[in-house]
Amino acid sequence: MLFVAIIGLIVFLLAIFSVMYARQTGGGWKFLTFIAVLSLIVTGFATYKLPFWSFNKTASSESSSTATSTSASSSSAKLDSSSAVFNEGSQKKAAATTKLKEDSILKQLKTNYKDMGTITLDRTSKTFTVTPTNAKYVKSLKIIKKYPSKNTKAITTITDNLESLSTSLKKNLASGYTIRLLEPGTTDTTLISVKDGKVVTNNFK
């Protein structure tokens, strides 16, 4: 196309000189003028088709595409950031709500078990622990532990009560919480434990 452009330009210049000469001599200047215009059109078309113009158009198209892609990426990043902030806020709110529920239930359990012993909550392991401290209750548990076959009814009563309490925790708090009764005179030996309404550990037997 560069060669065509050069040829067209030469033809155009020759045609101009010919027109000027023809007008001065009275020759066929109209025909030569037509040739000059035609050569100008050919030159312009060939010049437009040169790689420089094609490159500019391609670069412009790529630039537009890149800008659109960048804009989309930026919008996506903003959405991801907003989503992260929203999720973080929701998690904090859920954690605060859970803590309030735990505190409320722990307070109620302390009231219910005050005649038997103390009760604590390990929030990390989601475990409520009953530590027997009442002398009569401690004595009863030791006897039951020592003679389980003679105290099956008492074991059943303790088990049913803990299962009922565990089911209530699952319903009013959340699943995954354990309620356990420590063996009297120990600091971390489980006598019986129940999670989500089902017995996990039973050392009465």
Side-chain angles (χ1 to χ4, degrees), residues 60-157:
S60 175
S61 176
E62 291 178 352
S63 176
S64 175
S65 176
T66 301
T68 301
S69 177
T70 302
S71 176
S73 298
S74 177
S75 298
S76 177
K78 289 179 179 178
L79 287 175
D80 290 344
S81 177
S82 298
S83 178
V85 171
F86 176 78
N87 289 337
E88 183 179 356
S90 298
Q91 290 173 355
K92 287 182 177 180
K93 185 177 180 180
T97 300
T98 298
K99 186 177 183 303
L100 287 174
K101 288 183 178 180
E102 288 176 344
D103 290 342
S104 177
I105 290 174
L106 180 60
K107 182 179 179 180
Q108 184 176 347
L109 290 177
K110 284 182 176 181
T111 299
N112 295 343
Y113 281 88
K114 66 180 180 179
D115 294 332
M116 300 179 187
T118 62
I119 183 165
T120 58
L121 168 62
D122 184 335
R123 299 179 195 273
T124 302
S125 63
K126 297 183 178 181
T127 302
F128 290 91
T129 300
V130 179
T131 303
T133 57
N134 180 277
K136 290 183 178 180
Y137 188 52
V138 168
K139 184 178 180 180
S140 297
L141 289 176
K142 286 183 176 181
I143 292 174
I144 295 171
K145 168 69 176 174
K146 189 174 182 179
Y147 305 104
S149 60
K150 296 180 180 181
N151 295 280
T152 55
K153 186 175 181 180
I155 293 174
T156 299
T157 300

